[in-house]
Amino acid sequence: MNHNNFIQYINADHPVPGSYYLTESIDLSEFDQWKPVGNESAPFSVKLKGNYKIISGLKITGKLNNAFSGLFGYLVNSQVERLIIDRPVIEETGRSAAVGAVAGMVKNTTVKEVINHSGKTGTTGNSAHAAGIVGIASHYSTITDNLATGAVYTKGRDSFSGGIAASVLAHSSVLGNLYTGKVTGAVYSSSSGGIAGKLSGHSSAKNNLHTGAITSMSPVSSSDYGGIVGCAKGASTITSNLNSGSLQLSEVWLSTLGGIAGLVENSCSVDRNVNAGVLHIGEGGAFTGGIVGQASNNPVRQNMNNGKITYNLYSKKPVGVGGVGGIVSYGSNLTAENNLNTADIIAGHLVYFYHGTVGGNEIRQRNNLQTGRIIINENSNHTTPPKLKEVPQNKTQPNPQGLDKNLWSSDPEKPFPMLRSINANYQDLLRISNAQNSDFTFPVALKQFAIPGGVANASLLNLVVWNVLNGSRPFLSGVPRQQAIQIGIHCGQGGFACSAENLLTSSTTAPSTASPSSGTQPFTEGCPAPEGIPLAQAYDFTNHQLYVVIRPSSDSSTLTVARYRSTVLDKGFGNCGKITYPLPDIAGWHFIGDSLLMGNSTNRHIHLVANKPGQKPLLLSLSLPENRASEKEAPGNSNEKPDYIMDYLQDSRSEINRMTGNNGMLFFSGHSASNFFIGRFSEKKKKYHSLADLLSDKDSARSLSVSPDNQLLYIAGIEKTTGAAFLRQYSSSTLSRHYPFGINGEVNAITPDNFHSHEAATAVHRGWVYMATITRHGDQLSVRRFDPSNGQTDGSFVIDEALHNYSGDFDTPDTPAEIKLYPDGQHLHVVKYGQKGDIFTTTYDDTKEVYRMNKNLELSNILFSGMIIADRKMYLSYQSGESGSLQTVNIMEINLNNQEVPPGNSSDGFPAWGYGVAIAFPIIAISALAIYIKFQNREANNAVGFMEKMMGTSKGVSLPLNP
């Protein structure tokens, strides 16, 4: 789309919805007043990819009530990305107006990688909204990876102002944004924040940076001010943000002021944030806290305040309502744990109250540390120097005891510990310190503290999207340097970390940056490993590609899909092997480990299932870009919006625990209060159908499998009272039991005469239906196979094996043994595992056992539930990194074949001492032969060979199996 096309189609008088891609910059200066596209009565829907082109000359000065103003007025179901809006002026004087550089209002819309450079957005009427990017974000909207540098103001009462968004409502989110400008809030009953004025309705503010300033006209009354969010309500979350901007108000009454948030209430949470901005109130009374001003019915956890607080230094009279606190000024029914205040508090002697951490009523607090001073000015005369006196208090002493070592890092050379979970905030703060003003004292005040202990190249921001550089503010890596300089952006030390490249490229390497201690050298080469928690894996058997679905953190509202070839990130996929999917609020949803990859090379989806108490189970389908033939075609992938489809299944009292399927059909099993059910979902028709089946005294289904022709379903489960294992067969078309199978569609597969089963698995392989069970401690294994036409047991394949020598560590209640069956070509793999890393595998070719492996992987954060086996290779994703910090996701590949390992050598997956034990003590190895197994033709020529055969071979990437 060129300039003429833009004016023709993005026109308020006759707008044309659609998908557009800018090919040149747009100059709107020919319009004395730009008319925003879309309004409340006729919302606009568009997909606009700006290619980082510049839109200049945007000017709107309106007087209408209920106006929505910006480049767009009112957007629904839209996407706007990669735009530079240069020096926009958007001002409305009417009541209930909403203004932003991109739009006044957005619903179910994504706005990403947009720059508002030196703009001016403001309102003067009452009940208005003003912000740097969007006025109001609502109904599952996502505002992510945007930068605003201009001024924002509101003047009317009951108004909201924010550097990025004024109000974020109804399951919407502001993620990974940067604001460097100045927000000036209204003087009465208003809310102002460096990122968002208001957060409400299960919305979230996460991984944002504010380095600007917040202020207001005087006097201020009944208002809320926060370095990140002005006020937060309705079960919203404020997580992992950084504020280094100042909050300075000359006269304030009956208000709140917080380094992160002013007012937080109604089941919100404030976790892992850092404030380093100065807080100053000249006169009046307000609840002023280093993290939160006033909080009720919320948790406040793992936050750090390093911003000096100056509060009513010259008290002329008793202040009344209001006070000051290092973490929270005043809380009620509040949980405050593992917070740190290192800043000084300086206040007048008539201040109502002051404390180093948290004060209020019904406070549950634990391990809140305070090292800053409280200093009182005993002089009320403005014309004379202050008379300062430090107040005695219970400050934290060096080497405090009783702290959780998973949350706090320590250094024997430092007297005080540091929170591990704020490492990314900490590293970002170090980088931007040289770009701040002289009042910014970090990190000098922290020299007596340990460092968080995470990696030095960590950042709150997505380093595929942002450049970070020591001594500079972050900048969007896709913007050509010359483009940035052209509009007057200061690139370099003290300015922004502009890209070194002059051409717009889709980079497959991480942005060049430097850690605080490494000068200007790049912090990494190639693609960085994704960070977060692996949820599920899926495998493309045609192209031999592994997909891993990752949640950046437990409360994140985004998912990342990474693609691997073997154990290496596939650079030809998305941005550096990863695609991020901004989603509506998925807090509290638990994803089961099952996932399915379906479709063809041009229309593929990864299907996931999640459960949440009181909600209908969720089917989430993440679309994948076209499977390119080579990496040369890959850059186009990163420009495609990662789409998703959400469907809700069953009813709110049910839970899905298994999923399988093929050829466009998905099948589910789960349970409700008294029944278990099976369900079917057609990928083509988008229709869901289910049927309940009475469980009586039986537990929920443990495993689900489907025949290759999609005609028959199999459910494996365990009876609660007897421990007997049962196998049921269902028709996939009617979801009813297939009665020719056993008795009424069910066989009692493994009875308590064998042992009390704890877990069961089923699979269809080479014309048979298999079932395996395991005891809780993993010391007994049974495997059977049945004729699918009648449920008769095949007597030539009956495995009952004692696994005492392979039991591993399954003795604690939280680590019971699990069992899975994996068809793999002509082979069937039986896998027993435990969450502490113990794994046992035996492989069958028809009735013949051809391979056996037993090992401890010496890792605990392994996604066993998403295990993939293909071509006799097992793929497991796992987390690595220091506890308490963001952990990277890596892939482990283990060969499941009978390749012998030469004596004296050790594979990556088996400690070298293991073979020494096998050689030095052959009796131990030979004793392993005394296991009672019913199978045919085992080969074990000698003790060493048999042990090596059991251990197998393994390879991986940076896998510390023998630390």
Side-chain angles (χ1 to χ4, degrees), residues 47 79 581 605 621-624 640-645:
K47 184 177 182 179
Q79 179 182 354
Y581 295 77
H605 291 83
S621 302
L622 305 177
S623 66
L624 299 176
E640 297 295 328
K641 177 185 177 181
D643 293 322
Y644 61 89
I645 301 170

Side-chain angles (χ1 to χ4, degrees), residues 214-265:
I214 299 175
T215 188
S216 179
M217 304 292 288
S218 293
V220 171
S221 178
S222 303
S223 297
D224 306 306
Y225 294 85
I228 299 297
V229 175
C231 68
K233 302 179 179 181
S236 296
T237 58
I238 305 172
T239 309
S240 296
N241 300 280
L242 168 61
N243 175 56
S244 65
S246 63
L247 287 83
Q248 303 196 48
L249 305 173
S250 57
E251 184 177 354
V252 188
W253 300 96
L254 301 173
S255 298
T256 66
L257 184 75
I260 298 299
L263 175 66
V264 180
E265 57 186 4

Side-chain angles (χ1 to χ4, degrees), residues 473-532:
R473 294 180 178 92
F475 196 69
L476 292 169
S477 58
V479 179
R481 188 182 185 90
Q482 292 302 318
Q483 195 97 313
I485 293 174
Q486 176 184 337
I487 61 175
I489 289 176
H490 174 204
C491 295
Q493 293 291 311
F496 289 93
C498 303
S499 172
E501 299 292 333
N502 292 330
L503 300 176
L504 178 62
T505 61
S506 179
S507 174
T508 58
T509 60
S512 177
T513 184
S515 67
S517 61
S518 59
T520 59
Q521 297 300 315
F523 68 78
T524 187
E525 297 292 339
C527 293
E531 294 180 329

Side-chain angles (χ1 to χ4, degrees), residues 644-663:
Y644 61 89
I645 301 170
M646 302 178 76
D647 294 284
Y648 292 91
L649 312 175
Q650 208 63 22
D651 61 47
S652 59
R653 296 169 298 173
S654 60
E655 177 178 310
I656 289 176
N657 53 22
R658 293 292 183 267
M659 175 176 65
T660 189
N662 55 50
N663 300 324

